Amino acid sequence: MVGSNTTVATTPPTAQTRDDAPTAWRRAITALDAAAPALLGLAMLLYIGIIFAVSKWQLDGLHMGFDPLVYEQPLWNTLHGHIAEQSALSYTSSAFGQDLFLFHFVLVPFYALKETTATLLFLQTVGAAFGALAVYLIARDALPRTRIVPLLFGLLLLSYVPMQNVNLYEVQPRLFAATFLLFAYWCMTRGYAIGFWVCIVLAIINRNDTALVVAMLGLYGVLTRRRVVFSWAPMLFAALYWVLAVFVIIPAFAGGAQFSYLQNYDWLGASASAIVKTIVTHPFFVARTVFGPDRWQYVVSLLFPLAFLPLLKPRLLLMALPPFLINIFAGNHYKYQRDIFHQYSALITPWLFVAAILAVAALTDGTHPLYRFAPRIKAALQHVRASAVGAGIVIVMLALSTFQFAYTKPDKVASWAENGGQISQADANRIASADLLIAMIPKDAPLSVTSLAATRVPLRRYLYEFPGNEFYDATLIDRAEYVLGDRRRDGNTEGAALDRLKANGQWQLVKRQGDFELLHRIAPPPGRTG
């Protein structure tokens, strides 16, 4: 009797536990799979909280430049009766003379809720975070038997250093465009024509270069034999939009001046026709330049955290080609276009992720042509769950992304964490000095302001960058009534500029406080009276 009971208790249950009964591991996987959407939502909220906190920390600590005002001042002016007006650029009084930034009108009602730079930083962080949802949906369709792998892809986008750096580099509307492009692709694959067109229009009106990406998305639709609404129509619409914007509309707002960003390619020529001529007539000279070492470093920086898997789906990289070429063709003076610290990779990122997702899907289901050269690997993987293979690949990419995060300097998130989110005493002293002088400036007075204090000054109709540079015309100071300068900036060269102003008989020192000086105009510039 005892022996019989012992036999029953030891042999059959052991086999059943191993083969049939759900183990704790399987239950955990099932629970994780079910919780994937909620976990993604929590990760997005965490991303928004951390990245916005770091952005606000930089803003409050005087670590952002003048550029955010290129987007914010037109919003402020629109709300105060001067539609899309800006004053920082000498060749146009309209934001549309720089770029056809029609997304301006989408942001206006949100900015009206709280007229601060922080509002725009928050909105772009939310926009970037929703890119993870789009990535999740795309991966969910490509890998239908699991929600864990799509979740991991969403986390990978949120941890992707190039995207985080764009988000942390002042105000960058291309982040909105990147998310809209991801949703546009998802709508295309689902056949949602209305959603697709809403997304591509919202993407295009961010920046003109987005139109080139949408044109390539339409070409991709042609190559994959999709309906006209997803192929020829967007391709022709985007191409026409770009041509009209760059060669007709923007020059009209800029008083006939050519599209300003052509200066970034001045090594090829001074005009669009000259650039094309150089490329056609001197192809080897151009090739030697654009295949230089810094260009390859840029490619590696973008692909390394994705384990170079996007290269396994080259057709999907067609959409990344326009911004990639725009960046690698930029002259050496503008080589920041091909690093991972500025905004210029924002329109490349969506397609790297789409390509990576479809590469993982093809690798997990054994359909990728690469397996023709590795049949044994394909045979071995047939004994492993596809979801496990996919999860393993994405976990490797997450590890590579973490490695890149740890070794990329400067690391703004790490600096924020090391400081406990607190502004240093040195920065606090500078802020107090700047605020004291800012309070002495009439709120509607035309002002030329040092870059790092620009976002701290109450906005006004006429605001200029001091002392000027290749982007902001130094002669615009002639329109200012006050100057707020920083003697410490640029190795004290700004201090020398302040001294020259005080010596020319047009300006008087109002007060110096710490590193900052406030000047008031006492005489008009030469050639002007009153």
Side-chain angles (χ1 to χ4, degrees), residues 111-349:
Y111 181 74
L113 298 175
K114 191 172 180 62
E115 298 175 20
T116 68
T117 309
T119 300
L120 301 180
L121 296 174
F122 177 75
L123 290 173
Q124 76 175 18
T125 304
V126 173
F130 269 86
L133 176 59
V135 163
Y136 174 86
L137 294 172
I138 294 167
R140 188 79 178 88
D141 287 347
L143 299 147
R145 292 186 294 275
T146 174
R147 282 180 285 194
I148 294 176
V149 179
L151 169 64
L152 292 174
F153 265 114
L155 298 179
L156 181 62
L157 179 69
L158 296 176
S159 71
Y160 189 58
V161 173
M163 190 194 81
Q164 285 188 9
N165 284 343
V166 174
N167 204 158
L168 291 169
Y169 187 70
E170 302 176 343
V171 176
Q172 303 301 339
R174 286 183 179 89
L175 284 169
F176 295 108
T179 293
F180 288 131
L181 288 169
L182 283 167
F183 276 109
Y185 176 83
W186 180 70
C187 288
M188 170 191 273
T189 59
R190 282 293 187 106
Y192 300 154
I194 294 176
F196 172 80
W197 276 91
V198 168
C199 288
I200 65 169
V201 168
L202 287 172
I204 279 179
I205 62 177
N206 268 273
R207 296 294 297 254
N208 292 328
D209 47 355
T210 311
L212 297 174
V213 178
V214 173
M216 291 298 101
L217 181 59
L219 178 58
Y220 173 79
V222 172
L223 295 176
T224 53
R225 300 182 180 181
R226 299 185 184 273
R227 289 187 290 148
V228 170
V229 71
F230 299 116
S231 55
W232 289 102
M235 182 173 68
L236 296 176
F237 165 72
L240 180 62
Y241 181 96
W242 185 81
V243 170
L244 288 175
V246 171
F247 297 106
V248 180
I249 300 174
I250 293 173
F253 277 104
Q258 70 175 5
F259 186 45
S260 63
Y261 287 99
L262 289 176
Q263 69 184 6
N264 296 26
Y265 309 92
D266 53 7
W267 68 281
L268 292 167
S271 64
S273 59
I275 290 171
V276 173
K277 182 179 179 180
T278 300
I279 293 173
V280 172
T281 59
H282 298 87
F284 296 108
F285 162 70
V286 173
R288 282 198 305 271
T289 303
V290 299
F291 289 108
D294 64 320
R295 273 74 168 184
W296 287 109
Q297 291 167 9
Y298 177 53
V299 173
V300 172
S301 297
L302 292 172
L303 291 174
F304 174 78
L306 301 178
F308 296 89
L309 288 181
L311 298 177
L312 298 181
K313 285 290 181 178
R315 182 182 287 182
L316 284 157
L317 299 181
L318 184 67
M319 287 76 83
L321 189 60
F324 177 72
L325 292 177
I326 286 171
N327 294 344
I328 66 167
F329 270 84
N332 285 335
H333 191 56
Y334 307 96
K335 60 184 178 181
Y336 50 75
Q337 285 189 219
R338 48 185 176 271
D339 64 34
I340 60 170
F341 299 101
H342 294 80
Q343 68 269 29
Y344 300 97
S345 64
L347 299 181
I348 298 174
T349 296

